[in-house]
Amino acid sequence: MTDSSKILEELNDRSREVFRRVVEGYLDTGDPVGSRTLTRTLNEKVSAATVRNVMQDLEFLGLLDSPHISAGRIPTQLGLRMFVDGLLEVGDLDRDDQEKIDATMGNNSTDVGTMLDRVSTALSGVTQGASLVLAPKHEAPIKHIEFVSLGVDRALVVLVFADGHVENRLFTPPPGQTPSSLREAANFLNAVAEGRTLSELRSAVREEIKNRRQEIDTLARDLIENGFALWAEEGDQNERLIVRGRANLLGTEEEEQDLDRIRTLFDDLERKRDIADFLELAEQGDGVRIFIGSENKLFSLSGSSLVVSPYMNADRKIVGAVGVIGPKRLNYGRIVPIVDYTAQLVGKLISDRG
């Protein structure tokens, strides 16, 4: 049992209702909730002084906070977590929201990337947050690999798969790479790549490098490691992490008052340096997961919340994820079923198309 669930169980009915009303009021308006406002909405008829005493007790427990001396209360991160875990009422998916998401499937395009881009755009529009869709990796066996130098600080790796699929990935090569190191890296990889998927090759390369460390030039080894560690640029047809709706994160007064934190979030989204961590977040549990503020290691500096769910292929293997990021006062009860439905829809489409 978590600390927050223990606290919730120890609250009496009056404290629990006051806490719930404060959190719901904050999520609805973004403003602190005062005792006079609560006395008009509580089921139990009590004085404003009694409500203030209850709110002070909840603040002592670390569930509420006072942004100003004479203002009402807002939930802390611990309070939001306790509310989400124990008091959140998740509604049914709104029909209008469902229709907007379903509409992205109306085009019978066989390009999964195009479809996922439409899904991400629709998800952003429906939730008024920033949407994130992690596309599945191409897991067919590799047929051939080639490195092409595009300049001193730019190179291209061409991946040809056994099913005819071709991917081109830009990356920054290690300093001092030469045409011979490019050829050596490609020859080395092609020698161990046959019949292996990209994930399998990555593991095999690490083992080969360990066993043959003295046989391979240092630059080529760095080139191999760098060539597979980076992902495609935004807009590329092989883009894995699709982010849409960044501007929605500036739509509330709460975020506009803290532009530095929003810039931090944008930087994180632009760099996309933690794609693997995004999928790891989704893989740590079944269904929809909610990360509030600093709980979310991807966007912890921005203080945002992330609602994320994995999706599976036909073999019931998690291959990607969809999510929505926004302020901590997200309408979690509405966002959760939207993310859940979208993840199931994407999983079905991926499974149907193999």
Side-chain angles (χ1 to χ4, degrees):
M1 183 180 294
T2 63
D3 291 340
S4 62
S5 61
K6 289 180 180 178
I7 295 174
L8 182 61
E9 284 192 357
E10 292 171 358
L11 295 180
N12 59 35
D13 291 342
R14 177 185 294 169
S15 297
R16 188 179 290 108
E17 185 181 4
V18 168
F19 172 69
R20 181 174 60 82
R21 299 274 184 175
V22 171
V23 177
E24 290 177 344
Y26 169 73
L27 294 180
D28 184 47
T29 67
D31 298 324
V33 179
S35 56
R36 292 188 180 278
T37 300
L38 288 179
T39 55
R40 295 193 295 267
T41 61
L42 289 175
N43 295 328
E44 180 186 8
K45 296 304 178 183
V46 294
S47 67
T50 299
V51 173
R52 279 196 297 273
N53 289 335
V54 173
M55 294 170 77
Q56 288 173 356
D57 291 341
L58 293 170
E59 187 171 356
F60 177 77
L61 290 172
L63 304 180
L64 300 182
D65 190 20
S66 303
H68 307 289
I69 295 177
S70 60
R73 266 56 169 202
I74 63 174
T76 62
Q77 180 171 307
L78 173 64
L80 282 174
R81 169 49 60 193
M82 193 176 84
F83 174 82
V84 165
D85 289 345
L87 297 175
L88 177 65
E89 296 180 0
V90 177
D92 295 329
L93 180 64
D94 183 83
R95 183 174 294 275
D96 288 341
D97 292 339
Q98 180 178 337
E99 289 177 352
K100 290 175 182 177
I101 297 171
D102 288 344
T104 63
M105 307 297 168
N107 190 317
N108 292 323
S109 170
T110 57
D111 183 356
V112 173
T114 300
M115 181 277 298
L116 292 178
D117 183 78
R118 292 200 307 268
V119 168
S120 187
T121 300
L123 190 58
S124 171
V126 167
T127 63
Q128 291 301 294
S131 64
L132 303 98
V133 176
L134 183 63
K137 292 181 291 186
H138 196 80
E139 285 297 329
I142 294 173
K143 182 178 180 180
H144 183 72
I145 298 170
E146 183 176 353
F147 290 107
V148 179
S149 177
L150 301 178
V152 177
D153 60 350
R154 206 68 163 161
L156 183 75
V157 56
V158 181
L159 303 173
V160 181
F161 294 86
D163 62 358
H165 180 76
V166 178
E167 288 189 12
N168 300 316
R169 299 185 181 184
L170 292 170
F171 69 100
T172 301
Q177 62 89 8
T178 64
S180 62
S181 68
L182 285 171
R183 287 193 300 271
E184 186 178 355
N187 292 337
F188 172 77
L189 287 173
N190 283 311
V192 297
E194 186 175 359
R196 289 189 167 102
T197 66
L198 194 55
S199 297
E200 293 167 343
L201 175 61
R202 191 175 288 111
S203 298
V205 165
R206 292 193 186 104
E207 188 64 27
E208 272 304 297
I209 290 177
K210 180 180 178 182
N211 295 336
R212 297 172 53 192
R213 188 170 296 275
Q214 302 304 318
E215 299 178 34
I216 187 167
D217 179 82
T218 300
L219 291 176
R221 182 171 66 246
D222 290 343
L223 185 65
I224 290 168
E225 293 173 351
N226 279 279
F228 287 94
L230 303 181
W231 304 93
E233 300 293 321
E234 179 171 350
D236 187 276
Q237 63 176 349
N238 300 314
E239 177 187 7
R240 281 212 68 206
L241 184 62
I242 304 169
V243 181
R244 299 293 179 262
R246 296 175 180 84
N248 289 333
L249 298 179
L250 292 173
T252 67
E253 183 178 350
E254 179 184 356
E255 278 71 42
E256 290 170 354
Q257 293 173 351
D258 199 351
L259 290 178
D260 287 340
R261 298 172 78 187
I262 294 301
R263 290 192 189 99
T264 298
L265 172 61
F266 283 176
D267 288 344
D268 284 346
L269 294 179
E270 292 290 350
R271 283 193 296 268
K272 303 177 184 176
R273 64 176 182 264
D274 292 320
I275 292 176
D277 289 340
F278 179 68
L279 182 55
E280 181 183 334
L281 289 178
E283 290 179 335
Q284 290 170 352
D286 295 331
V288 180
R289 303 195 70 209
I290 298 173
F291 297 88
I292 301 170
S294 60
E295 298 173 354
N296 173 5
K297 64 181 179 179
L298 284 182
F299 309 114
S300 59
L301 294 179
S302 69
S304 302
S305 285
L306 172 68
V307 181
V308 60
S309 177
Y311 61 85
M312 303 179 182
N313 60 14
D315 298 324
R316 304 299 296 167
K317 176 185 176 182
I318 294 176
V319 294
V322 301
V324 170
I325 187 169
K328 284 189 288 189
R329 65 175 196 86
L330 274 176
N331 184 343
Y332 297 99
R334 175 173 175 263
I335 300 298
V336 167
I338 291 175
V339 170
D340 184 40
Y341 179 77
T342 305
Q344 293 184 43
L345 200 63
V346 171
K348 183 179 185 303
L349 184 138
I350 296 295
S351 297
D352 291 344
R353 300 191 182 193

